[in-house]
Amino acid sequence: MAFSADELRVLRRALAVALHPAPLQDEDVRDALRLAESVDEAVREAGRLRAFLFDDLARYREALPGSLSGYLELLQDALAAGYDPAADDLAALRALRRNPAAAALLARCQILAERSVRARLARVSQATATPAAAAPRARLLALPGGRAAADEPKPRPPVPTERPVPKPSEVFPPRRRPVPPPPPEERVAG
């Protein structure tokens, strides 16, 4: 993201006020709000551009191997934009590894995918380990199958509401063998 000279001047004044609090003039406040809106719009536009890039990458991946050069370029751009290679990307690159550029990109994507998986696993293990370590163990008050379990009514077996599945012999009756015609001597001319 690049700032113009005017935007840098507004940013410098806002930082000076943040470091050394002083009353602001109305014009400075309006300039700071305009700058904040411009930065917000730039962030939204960057998000839209990333989404378009990732969608375009998926379209090129689906059109492989005919779109090899375009796919490799888009994948490099997506990786530069912070994209974590998906399993589909790794599978596509494995299928194209005869191409030297695809083989090099596959090695890079495998490293990035492994880092991403390790980071997600670390976050999950931290999230699950922290509450369990802090919470005291609950006291076991009753065991299943004890006296309280004997007092409970036993559940009835479910009543079949569906029709029973017919046997194959009921659906497909046995074939009747055709009766062979009588031998020629027994035929009566009539």
Side-chain angles (χ1 to χ4, degrees), residues 26-96:
D26 290 341
E27 184 181 329
D28 291 340
V29 172
R30 282 191 296 271
D31 290 343
L33 289 175
R34 268 196 308 264
L35 178 62
E37 288 174 9
S38 297
V39 169
D40 289 344
E41 178 59 31
V43 168
R44 284 192 297 272
E45 183 62 29
R48 287 191 294 270
L49 185 60
R50 278 185 66 171
F52 176 77
L53 175 67
F54 297 161
D55 290 343
D56 209 21
L57 179 67
R59 283 191 292 275
Y60 271 76
R61 183 177 49 239
E62 290 171 5
L64 285 173
S67 62
L68 175 65
S69 62
Y71 173 70
L72 295 178
E73 287 178 31
L74 280 174
L75 183 57
Q76 288 175 348
D77 291 345
L79 293 174
Y83 176 71
D84 286 331
D88 293 340
D89 295 311
L90 295 173
L93 290 171
R94 282 188 194 107
L96 302 168

Side-chain angles (χ1 to χ4, degrees), residues 132-188:
R137 186 171 180 166
R139 186 166 176 209
L140 187 61
L141 299 176
L143 295 173
R147 196 169 44 163
D151 297 341
E152 294 176 4
K154 296 188 179 184
R156 287 190 249 157
V159 178
T161 57
E162 298 179 11
R163 290 183 18 196
V165 177
K167 296 178 187 173
S169 61
E170 295 171 344
V171 176
F172 305 107
R175 286 181 157 180
R176 302 213 187 274
R177 291 192 177 149
V179 179
E185 332 45 77
E186 294 180 12
R187 286 190 202 161
V188 178

